Amino acid sequence: MNTEPELGVDIGALSARLRFNPEDGCIWLERERMLLVHLSAYAAFRKELIEAVGQEAAKRMLMRMGHAGGSSDGALARRARPESDMLTNFLAGPRLHAIEGMVVVEPVAHSFDPATNFQAGEWIWRNSIEVEAHLKEHGLSKEPVCWSAIGYATGYTSVFMGRPILYREVECRAMGHAQCRIVGKPAELWEDGARDDLQNGLCLSEPWNSDTDHWERTAGVAAPALEWSDGRLLGMSPNFVSTMDLIGKVAPTDAPVLLVGEAGVGKKSSARALHRLSKRARQPFVHFSCSVASGDALDAELFGLEKGALAGAAVSRNGRVERANGGTLFLEDVHCLDARAQAKLLRVLQAGEVERLGGGQPRPVKLRVIAASTPRLMAAVRDGCFREDLYYKLSAFPIRLAPLRERRSDIPLLLKHFVTEFAGRHDKRIRSVAQSAIAFLLTYEFPGNIAELESMIERAVILAPDAGTIDLSHLSSPLDQDSPRFFSVSRAGRLSMGGTEEPAATDGTPSLDRLLDGNFSLETFENEIIARAVERASGNLSAAARELGMTRPQLAYRFRKSRGVEEDEARDAF
Ligand SMILES: [Zn+2]
């Protein structure tokens, strides 16, 4: 199939995937964090790179950098609308390249055959940022300089098509040409050592499998964490990775560990991971929540009970400490221990002895204690409610577990995990999660942390239609009073709060200025009016048509078309 495609992809719809959350210092393109870099900084870095490693090596590095970004966007374009026209999907790449500020792409000629994964084409690039960077620092060049853009085009097309497609720049404005011109075709059709180009410059060691989701491949980086996973210990954010590093370091020792973090951050999962990675892994892991009892009941439960010590105590029994002998005792909410229990626990840690309620001989125990608390423990120490000596004994190795809002880049991974888990548990098929839902999750504060995310996703999986999409309405929870605080790019290029959210107006009609400030699309607006009219007429198309001043066939045609559009837009598979 030979075509001269127009870049008919809706730039508004693509821009809506770009969201700015200045409060968190995060820019997101769908679920990948992005970076705005000054041209002057980029040009200076590029110059220094060339001077440090030479032009050839710098070129290869920048090509690989572009390749990584292009691969990521190629995966995004593939999963965005998996069942719609492949050429239309493909053209998202040139649009994304422009949205990301690299270059404007104009098609010259294009061959595209989805049946054979064949893609070849010629394109013109205007406004290349690399040309500007090069001219600024080096003046005119003897060879093309748009290296990372070429890497991007190659990475994007190859991941999208599922086979190596190599691009080369045949004219470049940095050489004095009127514009940059690139040509791309399958690697095997390049005669002159294109394979070497690919292997040296673009790191083709990864298998070319279009079914491999870039997200999954990236998630593979956190493989050690996944090994310890019981569902909640998943991530690749800096906060998560450094916590896992601490856990990995302290796990093989016998040092007591104090896990501090808000409710729901995964303290129990971390304690289990510590146990599994320790030399006590085959011994018991005993969990006790110190907040569930007090006084004699707490004493008996934790340290054991001698016969006759309490009314009704007909036989002696051991407590959690003795049951954990040889293994790990995990004490949750340790700040809730009363003074007597604190003294007894200190004896366990210092002397390796436990004394049951009701006296008797102290019994020797050898175990590792992992304690967990919220930041309230420190307040209890300051207030004199918690023994300082016990605190220092327990906190030989303190680990702070970051709240979810400080590791938002793990949310996509956790989301995917929980959706898969709950879909299996509730026997539901979930095809995708809508953009609006992902955007909400990436900006929500999560006071209940991972536990809250987990419940929210379980509820959403139950509410979503079978074989359907989780959308924003399925995510609302009683706690989420705040609407998401993010900015996205309007058609006019301005950042606007809430981006594509429906514009509201006090008189019930959207203000035209507000509409135009958002990612307004006449087609979407028309579809919404039609949908509202049909809804008001309880599905009676003739009545809705009268209200809109059109004939029934006219309305029926537009209504069917709008439904199709909506379904396409809802698709955003993992
Ligand atoms: Zn160029």
Side-chain angles (χ1 to χ4, degrees):
M1 171 170 85
N2 280 303
T3 54
E4 286 193 15
E6 286 179 17
L7 296 185
V9 186
D10 183 356
I11 204 158
L14 284 173
S15 302
R17 290 168 189 265
L18 186 64
R19 291 172 188 275
F20 292 75
N21 189 348
E23 283 175 13
D24 274 357
C26 288
I27 304 170
W28 298 94
L29 176 61
E30 205 185 49
R31 54 203 171 199
E32 177 131 11
R33 207 172 149 180
M34 304 292 283
L35 176 68
L36 272 179
V37 181
H38 301 77
L39 170 62
S40 52
Y42 174 69
F45 166 75
R46 195 174 177 279
K47 177 170 184 255
E48 217 168 295
L49 188 66
I50 292 170
E51 285 169 0
V53 300
Q55 181 150 320
E56 274 312 302
K59 176 179 168 180
R60 282 200 297 276
M61 287 180 193
L62 289 167
M63 281 173 93
R64 280 201 291 275
M65 184 183 89
H67 188 272
S71 302
S72 176
D73 285 358
L76 185 159
R78 274 199 75 96
R79 65 175 178 257
R81 295 180 177 190
E83 287 146 38
S84 62
D85 168 33
M86 261 186 92
L87 179 60
T88 307
N89 280 359
F90 177 79
L91 295 176
R95 286 295 204 196
L96 284 167
H97 217 177
I99 289 170
E100 290 162 20
M102 285 300 290
V103 76
V104 176
V105 188
E106 292 171 11
V108 178
H110 198 229
S111 265
F112 190 87
D113 183 0
T116 57
N117 287 359
F118 182 86
Q119 195 273 356
E122 184 178 336
W123 310 76
I124 282 172
W125 279 348
R126 295 189 198 279
N127 257 352
S128 161
I129 198 163
E130 283 178 292
V131 166
E132 283 194 43
H134 196 91
L135 292 177
K136 188 176 162 69
E137 297 291 350
H138 308 275
L140 276 182
S141 167
K142 291 197 176 77
E143 59 171 287
V145 304
C146 300
W147 304 323
S148 66
I150 277 290
Y152 179 98
T154 298
Y156 177 86
T157 312
S158 302
V159 164
F160 188 90
M161 298 305 297
R163 68 189 284 193
I165 310 281
L166 177 70
Y167 274 84
R168 280 187 173 170
E169 193 174 12
V170 293
E171 287 176 15
C172 184
R173 203 164 65 79
M175 298 166 71
H177 294 119
Q179 69 257 314
C180 303
R181 182 184 297 271
I182 62 164
V183 173
K185 55 188 176 184
E188 65 273 17
L189 298 185
W190 288 95
E191 303 81 25
D192 50 343
R195 272 271 158 204
D196 294 344
D197 262 27
L198 282 168
Q199 271 151 6
N200 294 336
L202 298 179
C203 192
L204 275 200
S205 52
E206 283 180 31
W208 290 91
N209 178 1
S210 58
D211 296 332
T212 309
D213 190 314
H214 177 76
W215 186 12
E216 281 173 0
R217 283 191 276 121
T218 328
V221 174
L226 290 171
E227 269 176 38
W228 315 338
S229 159
D230 63 354
R232 287 156 165 249
L233 282 189
L234 278 175
M236 54 187 185
S237 64
N239 264 330
F240 180 81
V241 171
S242 60
T243 301
M244 288 302 118
D245 182 55
L246 290 176
I247 287 180
K249 281 191 173 122
V250 75
T253 73
D254 273 341
V257 175
L258 177 65
L259 302 170
V260 181
E262 295 174 9
V265 290
K267 294 189 280 277
K268 189 174 172 189
S269 305
S270 302
R272 284 194 180 281
L274 273 164
H275 177 69
R276 273 201 296 278
L277 293 170
S278 77
K279 54 194 176 204
R280 303 171 183 273
R282 292 175 183 280
Q283 302 299 320
F285 174 85
V286 176
H287 171 213
F288 181 68
S289 177
C290 305
S291 60
V292 298
S294 60
D296 284 346
L298 169 70
D299 199 336
E301 190 58 39
L302 195 51
F303 302 103
L305 177 70
E306 287 296 351
K307 182 179 170 184
L310 289 175
V315 288
S316 299
R317 60 179 165 88
N318 60 20
R320 306 280 172 129
V321 171
E322 282 177 76
R323 270 179 261 165
N325 198 11
T328 303
L329 175 67
F330 172 50
L331 294 174
E332 205 173 355
D333 293 326
V334 73
H335 59 274
C336 294
L337 288 180
D338 58 28
R340 181 167 33 143
Q342 288 178 32
K344 282 185 146 187
L345 180 61
L346 188 62
R347 188 167 173 188
V348 170
L349 290 165
Q350 281 179 334
E353 286 177 352
V354 60
E355 190 187 332
R356 289 180 175 179
L357 179 61
Q361 277 293 325
R363 292 154 192 267
V365 282
K366 203 164 167 29
L367 72 164
R368 183 195 211 165
V369 174
I370 300 173
S373 179
T374 63
R376 262 186 291 174
L377 178 62
M378 277 62 98
V381 174
R382 271 196 307 275
D383 297 348
C385 306
F386 198 90
R387 294 177 68 131
E388 214 171 334
D389 47 3
L390 177 60
Y391 171 76
Y392 287 120
K393 198 81 193 163
L394 288 172
S395 63
F397 198 92
I399 298 178
R400 176 183 178 267
L401 302 176
L404 191 52
R405 62 182 174 277
E406 290 179 17
R407 38 177 290 221
R408 286 192 202 279
S409 52
D410 293 333
I411 289 174
L413 201 59
L414 290 160
L415 168 66
K416 184 169 185 177
H417 172 82
F418 288 136
V419 169
T420 310
E421 179 182 320
F422 291 121
R425 189 179 301 174
H426 300 297
D427 199 20
K428 287 281 283 275
R429 286 167 303 157
I430 299 296
R431 197 175 57 182
S432 57
V433 179
Q435 265 305 304
S436 52
I438 292 176
F440 171 78
L441 293 172
L442 289 175
T443 49
Y444 180 55
E445 280 298 296
F446 284 107
N449 293 295
I450 298 174
E452 184 181 4
L453 173 69
E454 188 177 9
S455 317
M456 203 186 264
I457 302 303
E458 178 165 22
R459 183 169 176 272
V461 166
I462 293 168
L463 288 176
D466 195 27
T469 296
I470 290 179
D471 65 33
L472 189 55
S473 67
H474 303 134
L475 289 178
S476 6
S477 81
L479 291 173
D480 61 0
Q481 300 304 320
D482 299 331
S483 53
R485 302 179 69 179
F486 57 82
F487 296 75
S488 64
V489 189
S490 75
R491 212 162 263 272
R494 288 195 298 270
L495 286 184
S496 56
M497 174 75 90
T500 55
E501 299 306 296
E502 267 183 50
T506 46
D507 62 356
T509 48
S511 125
L512 292 182
D513 284 336
R514 292 192 61 166
L515 271 180
L516 294 169
D517 279 348
N519 287 291
F520 174 73
S521 138
L522 190 58
E523 190 183 1
T524 308
F525 193 46
E526 183 187 297
N527 292 343
E528 281 173 12
I529 292 175
I530 289 173
R532 182 68 59 87
V534 172
E535 190 186 316
R536 277 166 52 141
S538 306
N540 182 330
L541 291 190
S542 303
R546 272 196 302 280
E547 199 169 345
L548 291 167
M550 56 172 77
T551 66
R552 190 189 181 285
Q554 278 173 334
L555 174 65
Y557 170 75
R558 290 180 191 211
F559 185 57
R560 272 200 307 275
K561 190 164 148 252
S562 74
R563 295 281 92 181
V565 167
E566 211 170 80
E567 263 195 15
D568 267 358
E569 294 208 336
R571 257 173 232 144
D572 177 33
F574 297 112

